[in-house]
Amino acid sequence: MINFDIHHHVAHVVLSRSNKQNALTLNMFQSMDNIIRQIRKNRQIRAVILQGDGLHFCAGLDVQSVMQSPMQIVKLLFKLLPGNQNLVQRVVLGWRTLPVPVYAAIQGNCLGGGLHIALGADFRVAKPDAQFAIMESRWGLCPDMGTSVILPSYVKQDHSLKLAFEAKRIDALAAKEMGLLTDIDDHPKDFISRHIESLNHHSPDALAAIKLLYNQAYQPPSRSLLWKETWYQLRLLSAKNTRIAMKNGVKEREFSPYNQRGKW
C-alpha cells in the first residue's frame, strides 16, 4: 500500500490505495514509519518526494477500517513514555528528522491524516484544484498526529482553530494564503524536480545543517505537547459526545444533539 523506490538519489514514497483515495490504514502507517528509518540510514539519498497514487493525495484515515479493531487504535496511539512520539506522530514528524529536503506533491483530496502527513514535509506543492481540510472534529476527535508542533510556524492561531473547528475543505489558493502550501503549480512533480535539481549544486552537508538548525528554531521542545495530543485524544475516544459525533459524521442528514460538554 506504500510504494518506495529510489531514482537518481531521490526517494519516491507513494501512497498506493487509489481505489480508496489513498485512505490510511494501520499497515500504511507502519510502512511509512519503516521507510523513514530506511531513508535516514541511506546517505546516498538527496531528497524525498511524497505523493499519492491516482487522482488524490490522501483522503485521511480509513476510519471504518481502523475502528473495526480497538487493538489498531492502541497500536496507532501507544507510546512507552508520555512525551515520546507514537506511530501516528512519527509518520508526520519523522520527515522533519531526515537530513534531506522532503517534498509533498499534492493533487485532489488532501484531507485529515493526509494533510497532517503533507505538513510534515519541508515543502508542499499542490495542483490548483487540490482540496485541504483538518477533519478530526467531524468525528468528535482532535488532531493528534503531531501537527500541533508544526502548525504555529505556518499558520496564525485563529486560522488553525478555524480549520480544526469547522472541518471544512479549502482550495489550494486559500491554503497557500493561509500558509499551508509552499507553491501551486499545474505539474507539482515537475516543479519539485526542478527545485531538487537546483539544490544539487549545494553541499548536502550544508542542507542537512540548515534543516536541523531551522527546525530547532521554528519548533520549540515538543514532548509535553505531544503527550497532550495523545491524552486529549484518549479522553475524547471514551466520551459520549464522541460516539454521537461518529454517528453524525456517517449520517450527516440525521443529526443527533450532543450531551453537555465534559470537564476540560
Side-chain angles (χ1 to χ4, degrees), residues 227-238:
W227 164 236
K228 288 176 182 177
E229 273 194 359
T230 303
W231 173 236
Y232 293 166
Q233 195 74 303
L234 291 171
R235 287 181 61 186
L236 287 170
L237 284 167
S238 63

Side-chain angles (χ1 to χ4, degrees), residues 79 82-84 89 148-149 220-232:
K79 52 178 69 180
N84 287 5
Q89 292 166 338
S148 60
V149 177
S222 60
R223 291 183 63 84
S224 174
L225 196 55
L226 291 176
W227 164 236
K228 288 176 182 177
E229 273 194 359
T230 303
W231 173 236
Y232 293 166

